[in-house]
């Protein structure tokens, strides 16, 4: 099933990514989105449509849209004015390969394209664009907070009382917001009820947080001491599972995805 | 009438611009959009709704959206990696005032917000997001072409055979695309027919080109010799007027706007 979903994601991305003038722009956009990645967010989107009783196909455009949006955030995060990263996934970052101006602009074009693509969903387009807009802004809020904290040394090392509060804000926005948008758009495109979409949002928020805490455990650089972080992984994981139980149809694939994301703890 | 429309634009922008955490982000967004500008694109949007028989109120969110999107393009165009401008409208540019990272991110947030706001239109949301997506990408195509040409010295001075072809592409995308989006979204939000929207797009394309040629005449740095540019102003102006004649309702305000934009030649 995962292979079928992944093929649908790759096929839809190939369909929507442009080949237009100027060539350097469409090349940079394609380079950034790449092929063969894990595509976690679009898979969450497709599986959410299934979990409310729709077809994966219903959510293919919102799924492609969230991947375009995710990749624009990576391009801009890597810029010299932000994280100044020269490599990603073992390859030169977009600004290293295409220049800084083209990297900023390729990110901009992916963001605009994401909305155009999401609006091709078969239903509930106003609500789909609303959540993609809200979370598209939210992810920027998280990034601005992150950049400010790094600059003023609040985030690392763990010296400030502000840290847990600040990092929680960053986790919710930088990490969880795109998962929430993916799940909510999938539920809406699949024709889910308001209650279904609310459950999917709850699932995705907790999945995003669990994912981030798990990451902290692995990296050994979390907000809280390891035992507390471990407790939070379990707490958010349990909340994610509880939210899945509220959904009317098959949630197998969402559970499987959660397994992969947070070390088989869901 | 212009004052009433302008008040509606300012009121809607004030309603949709956020005051959220982190404060530096919402402050940068508000600073960029400002108050008291000419607001040409949103006025075209409102007047287009009227021209198809709708109310200006129907188009207030798409009108705010096009102004948000326009201002994101200005923030990013001003960046050191692009035009490296330190002042705009007599004030420090966003990157000078808030730093480069925050300027990139404030632009990103305005772009995402634009789509969320446009989706609040009372009808035809799929088509509204489609055109705002298409032209949101288009304006980036124009900017990438412009940046590439400046870099390789194609655009100025007038030494290359490529120049008219290249500059026409840039004019269509950098200048006309946002006018087209403004007019088409207004027509769609106002409940216009497909033929009405096509006529509005034709009007806006020609208005955008006429505006740019007029600008070239004033600056004395056009693609073509002055007599040819003058001829093109007349030709595109006539095409814009002819397009207005195809609309079913009151086009007075669109004509007035065109007057202001291109030296009372429409």
């Amino acid at each position: 099933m995962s292979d079928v979903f992944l093929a649908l994601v790759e096929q839809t991305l190939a369909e929507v990514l442009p080949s237009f003038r100027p060539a350097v722009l469409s090349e940079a956009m394609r380079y950034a989105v790449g092929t063969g990645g894990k595509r976690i967010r679009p898979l969450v989107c497709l599986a959410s449509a299934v979990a409310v009783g729709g077809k994966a196909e219903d959510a293919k455009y919102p799924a492609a849209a969230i991947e375009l949006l995710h990749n624009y955030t990576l391009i801009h995060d890597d810029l010299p004015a932000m994280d100044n990263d020269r490599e990603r996934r073992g390859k030169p970052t977009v600004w290293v390969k295409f220049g800084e101006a083209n990297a900023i602009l390729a990110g901009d074009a992916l963001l605009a394209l994401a909305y155009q693509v999401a609006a091709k969903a078969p239903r509930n387009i106003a609500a789909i664009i609303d959540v993609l807009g809200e979370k598209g802004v939210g992810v920027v809020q998280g990034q601005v907070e992150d950049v400010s904290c790094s600059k003023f040394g609040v985030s690392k090392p763990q010296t400030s009382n502000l840290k847990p509060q600040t990092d929680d804000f960053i986790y919710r926005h930088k990490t969880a917001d795109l998962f929430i948008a993916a799940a909510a758009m999938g539920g809406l495109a699949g024709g889910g009820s308001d209650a279904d979409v609310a459950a999917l949002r709850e699932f995705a928020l907790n999945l995003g947080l669990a994912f981030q805490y798990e990451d902290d455990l692995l990296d050994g650089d979390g907000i809280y001491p390891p035992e507390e972080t471990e407790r939070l992984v379990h707490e958010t994981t349990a909340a994610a599972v509880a939210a899945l139980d509220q959904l009317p149809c098959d949630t197998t694939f969402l559970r499987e995805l959660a397994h992969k994301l947070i070390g088989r703890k869901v």
Side-chain angles (χ1 to χ4, degrees), chain A residues 16 18 20 61-62 65 68 109-121 125 129 132:
Chain A
V16 301
F20 56 29
Y61 290 117
L68 298 175
L110 285 175
L111 179 54
L113 183 63
Y115 291 95
Q116 189 183 18
V117 169
K120 293 182 198 291
I125 291 167
I129 299 298
L132 192 63

Side-chain angles (χ1 to χ4, degrees), chain A residues 75-137:
Chain A
I75 299 178
H76 283 190
D77 285 1
D78 288 338
L79 286 167
M82 308 270 205
D83 298 346
N84 195 22
D85 281 325
R86 302 187 59 89
E87 274 205 8
R88 176 175 290 277
R89 302 167 188 155
K91 295 197 306 180
T93 48
V94 177
W95 73 267
V96 169
K97 192 163 169 79
F98 295 91
E100 204 175 330
N102 286 331
I104 295 168
L105 290 162
D108 293 346
L110 285 175
L111 179 54
L113 183 63
Y115 291 95
Q116 189 183 18
V117 169
K120 293 182 198 291
R123 59 182 68 82
N124 288 327
I125 291 167
I128 285 171
I129 299 298
D130 186 59
V131 70
L132 192 63
E134 179 195 325
K135 299 311 179 190
V137 173

Side-chain angles (χ1 to χ4, degrees), chain A residues 198-253:
Chain A
L200 284 167
R201 290 178 74 122
E202 187 68 16
F203 163 74
L205 166 63
N206 283 287
L207 181 71
L209 293 175
F211 176 59
Q212 188 61 56
Y213 292 132
E214 179 81 7
D215 206 50
D216 287 351
L217 272 184
L218 294 171
D219 293 352
D221 69 345
I223 316 174
Y224 306 101
E227 317 78 61
E228 174 67 3
T229 308
E230 183 106 34
R231 196 188 63 73
L232 284 164
V233 170
H234 285 287
E235 188 179 294
T236 47
T237 298
V241 171
L244 285 187
D245 290 342
Q246 299 167 47
L247 288 164
C249 296
D250 187 11
T251 58
T252 313
F253 194 70

Side-chain angles (χ1 to χ4, degrees), chain A residues 10-217:
Chain A
E10 294 298 336
Q11 180 195 315
T12 311
L13 285 170
E15 177 196 327
V16 301
L17 278 164
S19 292
F20 56 29
R21 179 178 168 188
V24 66
L25 176 61
S26 43
E27 279 164 23
M29 292 165 77
R30 288 178 174 276
Y31 179 83
V33 176
T35 52
K38 292 192 295 286
R39 311 298 195 197
I40 296 166
R41 294 159 195 79
L43 290 176
V44 166
C45 185
L46 299 182
S48 295
V50 173
V52 302
K55 291 176 294 178
E57 181 86 11
D58 295 338
K60 70 177 186 176
Y61 290 117
I66 199 72
E67 188 68 10
L68 298 175
L69 199 149
H70 170 57
N71 280 283
Y72 121 77
T73 67
L74 301 182
I75 299 178
H76 283 190
D77 285 1
D78 288 338
L79 286 167
M82 308 270 205
D83 298 346
N84 195 22
D85 281 325
R86 302 187 59 89
E87 274 205 8
R88 176 175 290 277
R89 302 167 188 155
K91 295 197 306 180
T93 48
V94 177
W95 73 267
V96 169
K97 192 163 169 79
F98 295 91
E100 204 175 330
N102 286 331
I104 295 168
L105 290 162
D108 293 346
L110 285 175
L111 179 54
L113 183 63
Y115 291 95
Q116 189 183 18
V117 169
K120 293 182 198 291
R123 59 182 68 82
N124 288 327
I125 291 167
I128 285 171
I129 299 298
D130 186 59
V131 70
L132 192 63
E134 179 195 325
K135 299 311 179 190
V137 173
V139 78
V140 179
Q141 291 176 260
Q143 176 68 1
V144 172
E145 190 83 17
D146 199 10
V147 169
S148 309
C149 291
S150 307
K151 191 167 138 195
F152 297 114
V154 175
S155 191
K156 295 170 189 180
Q158 300 171 33
T159 47
S160 161
N161 286 335
L162 278 174
K163 190 169 159 50
Q165 191 194 343
T166 299
D167 279 5
D168 184 65
F169 181 89
I170 295 170
Y171 286 10
R172 281 177 182 261
H173 287 292
K174 272 197 78 166
T175 310
D177 268 3
L178 294 194
F179 284 100
I180 296 174
M185 288 196 299
L188 288 163
S193 68
D194 288 353
D196 294 344
V197 174
L200 284 167
R201 290 178 74 122
E202 187 68 16
F203 163 74
L205 166 63
N206 283 287
L207 181 71
L209 293 175
F211 176 59
Q212 188 61 56
Y213 292 132
E214 179 81 7
D215 206 50
D216 287 351
L217 272 184

